Amino acid sequence: MAVSVPVAKKDILVVENLKTYFPVRAGLFQRVVAQVKAVDDVSFTVREGETFGLVGESGCGKTTVSRTILRLIPATGGSVFFEGQDVFNMRKQELKSMRSQMQIVFQDPYSSLDPRMPVGEIIAEGLQIHGMKDKKQRNEVVQGMLEKVGLNPYHAHRYPHEFSGGQRQRIGIARALSLNPRFIVADEPVSALDVSIQSQILNLLKELQHEFGFSYLFVAHDLSVVEHISDRVGVMYLGKLAEVTSREDLYRDPLHPYTQALLSAIPVPDPRRRRERIVLKGEVPSPLNPPSGCRFHPRCPLATDICRQQEPVFEEKRLDHWVACHHVDVAGKSSPAARMG
């Protein structure tokens, strides 16, 4: 009897040492006096057909990472490879072709749709730009996409203000899908929606991925949402990755103290079970003047002198489990976020 061996999925997106700094200008001649280090040396991969969740507190650099990958924001350093091609060194025509394969669903379903255009034209705009000149063919694609996302074909003639927030996000998803992309950035696609609508949109995203086979970079700050949809998860803090591993490993046995603190804050929907809460002291430092050594050390309960003086290396501590922490063994053993009684 033949034994089936699982085939390893190849990386569709490779991010290496990504940096995105924003200059701070002052004085009469507006000279650069400082840099806001929004993203500082971030590396990860997204595999074919998977959802990679990117989480962290507001202002940690999640959205900046996603938009830099798509070249909506210029990178300060590092590299991004999409299907083996260097995104940052693409020429104009190459970049245009790449954009048809790398799409984005924006966070705000109200401001991301042009209020002066009917929904059908919004979805068809990308098709026309990328060479589909036949109007009848474009209309067929638009109607098919509307049905895929749970709307009716006649909605193509309506304007965005005639729809609810959840319906608008469905339109944004249809626009992203119209070009049949291989990779989609979902930038907090449910954070602006009611809780009852969030689950519908998340289930829709999973169903579409199962049908079309594309990959997601799913950006969010809600860890329960990320657990529901992601295959692997990266945790960011102040412009850097603290931990990357599979969803199962992260939620079962987080190694980084910051990840443990985040997971301890997730409510448990059972009054008989309790999770030990880790309360972090102080505020998130400014990316304009980040702390020396480990950026998490001013709030970390395990911090020692080495944490204040030396930046931890982001390395593989277990199989496919990457962590940036000097005390990862201690952190792993004292995982209160994973203990419930």
Side-chain angles (χ1 to χ4, degrees):
M1 181 178 177
V3 178
S4 61
V5 179
V7 178
K9 295 181 179 179
K10 72 175 185 179
D11 297 329
I12 191 172
L13 183 82
V14 178
V15 179
E16 295 180 346
N17 309 113
L18 185 65
K19 296 180 180 180
T20 307
Y21 299 167
F22 297 104
V24 178
R25 302 179 183 274
L28 180 63
F29 297 103
Q30 290 294 290
R31 292 173 177 167
V32 177
V33 296
Q35 298 277 359
V36 176
K37 297 181 178 180
V39 178
D40 195 11
D41 199 15
V42 167
S43 300
F44 63 90
T45 62
V46 181
R47 297 165 186 163
E48 282 188 331
E50 82 163 354
T51 299
F52 184 90
L54 196 59
V55 300
E57 294 173 281
S58 296
C60 72
K62 309 182 300 294
T63 294
T64 305
V65 167
S66 65
R67 298 195 178 200
T68 305
I69 287 171
L70 298 176
R71 284 185 59 174
L72 299 178
I73 297 175
T76 305
S79 304
V80 172
F81 296 92
F82 176 68
E83 294 190 320
Q85 296 183 323
D86 190 342
V87 174
F88 293 163
N89 287 325
M90 286 182 175
R91 296 180 179 178
K92 186 176 180 180
Q93 194 60 37
E94 293 174 322
L95 182 61
K96 179 181 177 181
S97 177
M98 181 273 294
R99 290 198 187 283
S100 69
Q101 296 300 303
M102 299 176 73
Q103 289 290 302
I104 183 169
V105 178
F106 293 98
Q107 176 179 357
D108 188 356
Y110 294 91
S111 63
S112 61
L113 303 178
D114 190 336
R116 299 167 297 179
M117 295 175 64
V119 165
E121 290 185 17
I122 290 173
I123 299 173
E125 187 176 22
L127 296 170
Q128 187 172 7
I129 290 171
H130 286 277
M132 190 178 289
K133 303 302 181 184
D134 189 329
K135 186 175 181 180
K136 182 179 179 182
Q137 188 179 3
R138 292 200 304 270
N139 289 337
E140 289 176 355
V141 173
V142 168
Q143 292 179 7
M145 285 297 103
L146 287 172
E147 291 179 337
K148 290 288 185 186
V149 299
L151 297 175
N152 293 310
Y154 65 80
H155 285 148
H157 305 291
R158 295 185 178 180
Y159 288 82
H161 72 270
E162 300 179 70
F163 296 90
S164 66
Q167 289 175 319
R168 291 188 191 198
Q169 199 59 292
R170 291 173 186 268
I171 295 166
I173 294 169
R175 175 176 59 185
L177 279 177
S178 64
L179 292 166
N180 193 25
R182 300 266 294 132
F183 173 76
I184 294 178
V185 171
D187 183 13
E188 303 208 37
V190 298
S191 63
L193 306 178
D194 293 339
V195 175
S196 59
I197 305 299
Q198 287 184 8
S199 60
Q200 296 178 20
I201 299 299
L202 289 173
N203 289 333
L204 173 64
L205 291 171
K206 292 182 72 173
E207 290 168 6
L208 291 170
Q209 184 183 42
H210 180 74
E211 180 176 352
F212 292 100
F214 49 74
S215 304
Y216 282 123
L217 174 60
F218 190 90
V219 178
H221 61 267
D222 189 332
L223 283 160
S224 57
V225 168
V226 172
E227 183 180 17
H228 177 72
I229 197 169
S230 299
D231 300 301
R232 288 189 304 134
V233 182
V235 180
M236 283 193 70
Y237 183 79
L238 204 61
K240 287 184 174 289
L241 278 172
E243 188 165 1
V244 173
T245 187
S246 66
R247 174 190 60 198
E248 293 80 7
D249 285 349
L250 189 85
Y251 286 84
R252 182 183 66 248
D253 188 17
L255 298 183
H256 199 284
Y258 177 61
T259 310
Q260 295 171 10
L262 290 180
L263 292 177
S264 75
I266 300 177
V268 180
D270 187 341
R272 295 168 298 180
R273 303 173 70 195
R274 293 186 179 181
R275 176 177 284 146
E276 183 181 340
R277 179 71 192 275
I278 304 173
V279 180
L280 298 177
K281 298 179 181 179
E283 299 292 331
V284 179
S286 169
L288 185 61
N289 186 26
S292 60
C294 176
R295 295 192 175 184
F296 184 57
H297 86 256
R299 307 174 71 195
C300 181
L302 304 177
T304 59
D305 288 340
I306 191 174
C307 303
R308 301 178 184 94
Q309 298 166 7
Q310 183 178 329
E311 184 177 332
V313 178
F314 187 66
E315 56 187 350
E316 191 173 18
K317 299 293 186 178
R318 297 178 183 171
L319 181 62
D320 204 23
H321 197 148
W322 298 74
V323 189
C325 180
H326 291 297
H327 304 295
V328 69
D329 293 333
V330 178
K333 291 175 183 177
S334 63
S335 180
R339 292 201 306 265
M340 290 183 291

